[in-house]
Amino acid sequence: MIIRVSVRGVISGAAALAIGALGTLAPTAAAVPQADPLPPQPVSADLSPLHRPGTHVRQHRGVPPLPGDVSALSWLVADARTGEVLAAHQAHRRLPPASTLKTLFAVTALPRLAGRTLHTVTEAELAGVGEGSSLVGVAPGNTYRVADLWRGVFLSSGNDAVHVLAEMNGGWRATARQMQSRARALGAHDTKVMSPDGYDTPGQVSSAYDLAVFGRAGLANPQFAQYAATVDAPFPGGTRSDGTPTWTYGIQSTNRLLTGAGGVGRYPGLIGVKNGYTSGAGNTLIAAARRGGRTLLVTVMNPQRGGGYEVYENARSLLDWGFAAAGLVEPVGSLAPPTPVRKAPQPGPEPVAQAAVLPENPGSGMPYALLGAVVGAACLAAVVIVRGRRGRSLR
């Protein structure tokens, strides 16, 4: 009887040893391979202080104070090359953009429409031009080079030229959709495009931040930069079928910081970009200037003091400050599109299943061989113990 109990205990112990060995061989959840941790999310414009209300600048000792005469509802100063925002006020406040929205139109449509292309204008293409719009004088029946139409957009802010180019680009609504998509791709999320020419339309808005993004993207295109810096040019009054003019008249940029017209002093080194005005938007301006190898970009939306030229004086003060402060202030944001965050690779079902269970083929791997050795050793130990105990009981 004693022998029977001891044998059962030994066999039970051997079984427990075998099961314990199996438990040590079966992978636990911690043994399943884990994906590498994600790197820290990159800092983007979306995470910058610019999304908070107020004025933002990081000044150090010796940096000139921000100009106190800027009354615009929203403004921004940035380095056009790096995209670093040096200072801003209400950068993401959504306001009507007026004709500064034409920069987004050009960024979107200019690469699609070659300057030497010829186009004969129809009455239908001009039918939708809004009442009171600025015009360059596009006439139905005339055949224009696309380059002439673009000069009409940049210099005269001609809504008639925008309408014709938009029709050539696939239509008015299609162009608005393209502009909206382009704005999102550039990281400009404050802009809602309803009318590609910037004409006051319910729901159409942009921001000082977005306009700076459009100006920077435009200046990266040599054609855009050339049109934006052009002070004056001839425009066809009549044309032949091959697009050559029968007579011309002069047009001049409406950007007074570029031309020095109307008593506004021309800003040294100015290279564009675009001004605008509507009764709903007030005066708006994107201005870029180059000095000492550095190009600065400022945007000004709706000054609250002074007359119609105050927008230029606001921009002048901000450019002066920017050139004095550049390299001495830490950026408060960036015009560059946010960097996409890398997603961790998702583990497939097959590797997880193989890591969680033992191979189904008992002869295909080491775990079963090792388990067999452990069980065999336990059984042999039980036999030896039983024989030893049986011998002791006979004596």
Side-chain angles (χ1 to χ4, degrees):
M1 190 65 179
I2 296 174
I3 296 174
R4 185 178 300 125
V5 172
S6 299
V7 171
R8 285 181 179 177
V10 172
I11 294 175
S12 298
L17 179 61
I19 293 171
L22 177 60
T24 62
L25 291 173
T28 63
V32 177
Q34 300 295 312
D36 293 336
L38 288 175
Q41 184 172 350
V43 175
S44 71
D46 290 338
L47 303 176
S48 78
L50 300 181
H51 282 275
R52 298 195 294 268
T55 303
H56 297 281
V57 63
R58 292 171 179 161
Q59 291 184 249
H60 298 290
R61 183 175 299 177
V63 177
L66 287 169
D69 59 346
V70 178
S71 65
L73 294 178
S74 178
W75 56 261
L76 182 144
V77 184
D79 186 304
R81 183 184 64 82
T82 65
E84 293 178 344
V85 178
L86 308 183
H89 174 73
Q90 304 286 76
H92 286 281
R93 181 172 179 175
R94 296 179 177 182
L95 298 166
S99 286
T100 49
L101 192 63
K102 289 183 173 76
T103 56
L104 177 59
F105 171 70
V107 166
T108 303
L110 186 57
R112 301 167 177 262
L113 301 172
R116 294 186 178 182
T117 302
L118 298 177
H119 180 75
T120 301
V121 176
T122 66
E123 292 276 2
E125 291 170 336
L126 299 174
V129 177
E131 183 179 356
S133 290
S134 54
L135 305 172
V136 67
V138 176
N142 278 357
T143 300
Y144 297 92
R145 290 186 175 89
V146 166
D148 288 324
L149 296 174
W150 279 118
R151 279 187 281 269
V153 172
F154 277 87
L155 276 65
S156 298
S157 201
N159 287 5
D160 47 356
V162 174
H163 272 258
V164 174
L165 289 167
E167 290 302 319
M168 295 178 64
N169 187 55
W172 192 249
R173 292 183 179 180
T175 297
R177 289 193 297 269
Q178 292 170 21
M179 291 170 64
Q180 191 70 70
S181 177
R182 184 68 174 134
R184 296 295 179 267
L186 291 170
H189 297 283
D190 302 321
T191 299
K192 178 66 175 177
V193 180
M194 305 298 292
S195 182
D197 55 5
Y199 191 79
D200 277 344
T201 306
Q204 181 158 272
V205 291
S206 190
S207 67
Y209 179 90
D210 284 13
L211 294 180
V213 168
F214 305 150
R216 180 173 181 250
L219 291 173
N221 181 331
Q223 282 186 303
F224 181 108
Q226 182 179 4
Y227 287 129
T230 300
V231 175
D232 52 47
F235 191 82
T239 67
R240 301 180 179 90
S241 59
D242 63 356
T244 57
T246 57
W247 63 281
T248 64
Y249 55 90
I251 58 174
Q252 186 180 59
S253 173
T254 56
N255 183 349
R256 287 171 171 79
L257 279 185
L258 184 64
T259 64
V264 176
R266 183 174 183 176
Y267 193 84
L270 200 84
I271 58 173
V273 177
K274 189 74 188 71
N275 59 306
Y277 171 80
T278 65
S279 57
N283 288 280
T284 58
L285 177 66
I286 306 171
R290 186 174 294 128
R291 183 185 300 174
R294 186 187 300 274
T295 300
L296 293 185
L297 189 67
V298 304
T299 51
V300 179
M301 300 188 76
N302 201 348
Q304 298 297 288
R305 296 193 300 268
Y309 296 164
E310 187 66 16
V311 69
Y312 299 111
E313 299 311 320
N314 279 198
R316 185 191 307 278
S317 295
L318 291 172
L319 284 169
D320 285 346
W321 176 86
F323 282 116
L328 303 176
V329 293
E330 296 181 26
V332 293
S334 174
L335 300 179
T339 304
V341 178
R342 181 178 65 88
K343 293 184 178 180
Q346 297 299 318
E350 184 177 355
V352 173
Q354 289 179 347
V357 299
L358 293 171
E360 295 181 357
N361 183 355
S364 62
M366 287 299 296
Y368 274 102
L370 181 57
L371 178 58
V374 172
V375 173
C379 292
L380 179 59
V383 171
V384 171
I385 293 171
V386 169
R387 286 182 178 177
R389 289 190 176 181
R390 182 175 295 172
R392 287 195 296 271
S393 67
L394 289 176
R395 286 197 298 264

